[in-house]
Amino acid sequence: MTSQIFKQLAAILVFVFAGVINSNAQQSASDMLNQLAKLQRLEAMQPDSIGPKYQLALQSLNFAVMNPNAPQTENIMAQAEETINKMEKMKDADQSDLYTLRGFFYMVRIVQNPAQNGQRYYLSVMENYEKALRLNPNNTLAQNLQQKFLEGMKQHTN
């Protein structure tokens, strides 16, 4: 029963993310991969800068949520996690943004395999978004992702 709920949740999350994710929702997977490669080069050229790391992690997660079963997705998820870990070690990293990216990371894991990962990561998603919004109540990305996640859960509990 629970895995059925999480399968339905994953289907809704994929659909909802299509509306949440910016212009990448209109791009093909190959366009998104090309954009990720450009962001990787930019990040490598500016290793001490948060901005390129944030964009690389965010766009990697956007790709993964839109293409949860693509052959490249696991490598991209590993890269996103590594990038988030690097950001955490930087003193000027915005903690609200870090929690938002972590929440998004775990949400993608649920989308990838709802039966296995739904119960495993549900609390992590919620806790990270709540922490992000406690630190910055105006974090629009955290607000949108949390809202869509809650809406998806609410639809499956009614």
Side-chain angles (χ1 to χ4, degrees), residues 62-130:
N62 283 340
F63 175 87
V65 79
M66 298 300 292
N67 303 281
N69 300 310
Q72 308 90 335
T73 298
E74 270 314 304
N75 287 338
I76 289 171
M77 287 293 289
Q79 172 190 323
E81 186 172 34
E82 181 182 327
T83 303
I84 294 167
N85 290 339
K86 286 180 187 176
M87 289 173 64
E88 286 176 337
K89 295 174 183 170
M90 299 176 79
K91 62 182 172 194
D92 55 341
D94 182 308
Q95 295 299 304
S96 179
D97 287 343
L98 288 170
Y99 284 120
T100 301
L101 290 172
R102 279 274 178 221
F104 195 7
F105 178 86
Y106 292 126
M107 191 181 311
V108 173
R109 288 294 187 206
I110 292 172
V111 170
Q112 286 181 300
N113 188 337
Q116 179 181 339
N117 295 333
Q119 289 180 316
R120 183 178 184 184
Y121 294 121
Y122 171 81
L123 284 177
S124 296
V125 171
M126 292 304 301
E127 288 172 353
N128 277 284
Y129 290 151
E130 287 170 8

Side-chain angles (χ1 to χ4, degrees), residues 50-69:
I50 289 284
K53 285 177 180 45
Y54 176 81
Q55 285 303 316
L56 178 59
L58 180 60
Q59 297 310 320
S60 295
L61 295 171
N62 283 340
F63 175 87
V65 79
M66 298 300 292
N67 303 281
N69 300 310

